Amino acid sequence: MRELTYVARHTVEWREAPEPRLQSDQQAIVAPVAATSCDVDSAILAGHATRRQPHIKHSIDPPFAIGHECVARVVDTGDAVTSVAPGDLVVVPWSLNCGSCDNCRAGLTAHCTAVPHMAMYGAPIGGTWGGLFSDLVRVPWADAMLVPLPADLDPVAMAAASDNWSLSWRLVAPHLRNRPGARVLVVARGSIGLYVCDIARALGASDVLYVDPDPEHRKLAEGYGARTAEQAEPVHHGFDLAVEATGRVDQLALAVRSLAPEGVCESAGNHFRPGELPLLDMYLTGVTLRIARDNVRAHIPEALALARSGQVDPARVVSHVLDWEQLPEALPEKHLKPVFVRGDA
């Protein structure tokens, strides 16, 4: 079979790999049918993740199979698998998790102790598990990991449920439950910020300001009911919740400086470069800052439920729908959220 392989900066190619096979009765083999690039894939393709720096413990050297967001069709399952069957469409979470260790039972699925730390699809961190831009993929714990895609959801629109869509739900939904009508600042560059605008407005945010230099992104955000700005200065005590998804420390500083007392900042940026934060300002205001990879498996069902509600429209963030065979040429290009499809997706 083929797997799309990152070989050098801005360069991917198909490479032959052994066809994955079931290794236990808890596993499944799936075939991605609608796969998309995550914001971290863009960083990998730009060479940021492979650049060795003293503060980065994990450097990712090519070649390796890339991709960690997809809806897939189940091809085969072990005898102990009960939640899915061959032919089913499923969301494949980006991180590996067993579902039964203490961390998994606590919802910390990105920190599963049954696999090496940071085990994931799409990058050789915590072992080599392949990528979701591959013809076939092995899922070690099918019942714990795979989430059936409801029949009324479009696989193309929900290709990002593996990570970015469900992450975006987690960045805002729990906070708006605790703070109905919260004011939300979104400082972003890619799909995460746009999903956040859609979800925040749908869940009752009283104000959403989206900051992004890209005019097309701002136009999409305005369509979700957000105010927009190309750039911004800190707004003193202006927002209850700030979401930063740029990977730039200066933009993270903007976000935390704009928080109201006891406000919350969620950082979903991939911070490959060091920088300084306004710690005294944060202390005096009293803010909570979370910078983290997402425990996405725990959030996928609720994120899918919101998508089914009709309150949101994640399909609008999909910038291009392209054929699977176009991956080597099209993936390195700068698209907001391209989805690559094959078969009857």
Side-chain angles (χ1 to χ4, degrees):
M1 69 136 197
R2 302 173 307 169
E3 57 184 18
L4 193 72
T5 304
Y6 171 65
V7 294
R9 191 167 181 262
H10 300 308
T11 306
V12 293
E13 63 184 33
W14 291 119
R15 289 195 177 182
E16 289 296 320
E19 187 169 307
R21 300 186 184 278
L22 298 176
Q23 298 178 9
S24 83
D25 60 2
Q26 301 180 62
Q27 298 187 355
I29 304 298
V30 301
V33 296
T36 185
S37 56
C38 166
D39 295 353
V40 74
D41 293 327
S42 299
I44 290 172
L45 288 165
H48 297 316
T50 60
R51 187 178 300 145
R52 294 193 180 278
Q53 300 179 44
H55 65 286
I56 297 178
K57 180 179 179 181
H58 297 282
S59 179
I60 310 171
D61 295 322
F64 56 85
I66 195 172
H68 66 267
E69 289 189 351
C70 83
V71 168
R73 192 173 298 281
V74 178
V75 174
D76 195 10
T77 61
D79 292 340
V81 176
T82 60
S83 61
V84 297
D88 289 351
L89 286 176
V90 293
V91 177
V92 185
W94 68 270
S95 62
L96 282 293
N97 70 276
C98 70
S100 58
C101 71
D102 288 347
N103 281 353
C104 284
R105 288 198 300 270
L108 305 179
T109 54
H111 305 279
C112 175
T113 58
V115 290
H117 181 55
M118 297 180 67
M120 62 178 289
Y121 291 115
I125 305 175
T128 301
W129 303 94
L132 299 186
F133 290 127
S134 298
D135 290 338
L136 294 170
V137 178
R138 182 172 63 91
V139 180
W141 294 280
D143 284 340
M145 292 179 59
L146 299 178
V147 180
L149 184 74
D152 55 350
L153 287 180
D154 177 13
V156 173
M158 300 315 303
S162 295
D163 188 0
N164 283 179
W165 168 256
S166 301
L167 162 64
S168 299
W169 178 92
R170 202 271 303 156
L171 292 174
V172 288
H175 300 298
L176 285 169
R177 286 175 182 167
N178 295 330
R179 302 185 188 201
R183 300 161 297 168
V184 180
L185 170 65
V186 185
V187 186
R189 295 293 186 272
S191 63
I192 293 173
L194 294 168
Y195 288 141
V196 165
C197 288
D198 190 13
I199 294 167
R201 269 307 192 188
L203 298 183
S206 62
D207 181 33
V208 180
L209 174 62
Y210 176 80
V211 181
D212 186 331
D214 191 299
E216 293 301 317
H217 297 178
R218 296 198 302 274
K219 184 177 179 181
L220 282 169
E222 290 165 3
Y224 286 135
R227 298 185 295 121
T228 66
E230 180 178 355
Q231 57 186 1
E233 295 297 321
V235 181
H236 183 62
H237 292 180
F239 299 92
D240 307 294
L241 171 65
V243 176
E244 178 272 325
T246 68
R248 295 178 53 181
V249 178
D250 64 329
Q251 298 302 293
L252 178 55
L254 161 67
V256 295
R257 280 196 169 110
S258 298
L259 286 173
E262 302 302 325
V264 175
C265 179
E266 292 273 7
S267 176
N270 296 284
H271 289 280
F272 293 104
R273 298 181 179 90
E276 294 184 1
L277 292 177
L279 297 179
L280 181 58
D281 287 353
M282 295 165 66
Y283 169 79
L284 295 174
T285 302
V287 305
T288 299
L289 169 61
R290 184 174 190 268
I291 303 178
R293 304 179 304 146
D294 194 44
N295 298 294
V296 71
R297 175 59 182 84
H299 313 307
I300 291 174
E302 288 182 278
L304 292 179
L306 179 61
R308 297 183 71 193
S309 71
Q311 299 174 271
V312 292
D313 189 7
R316 292 169 62 183
V317 177
V318 175
S319 58
H320 299 75
V321 180
L322 302 169
D323 187 84
W324 192 255
E325 299 304 319
Q326 294 179 263
L327 268 164
E329 296 77 29
L331 185 65
E333 297 175 354
K334 289 187 177 181
H335 298 312
L336 171 61
K337 198 68 174 174
V339 178
F340 297 86
V341 301
R342 61 175 179 172
D344 56 352

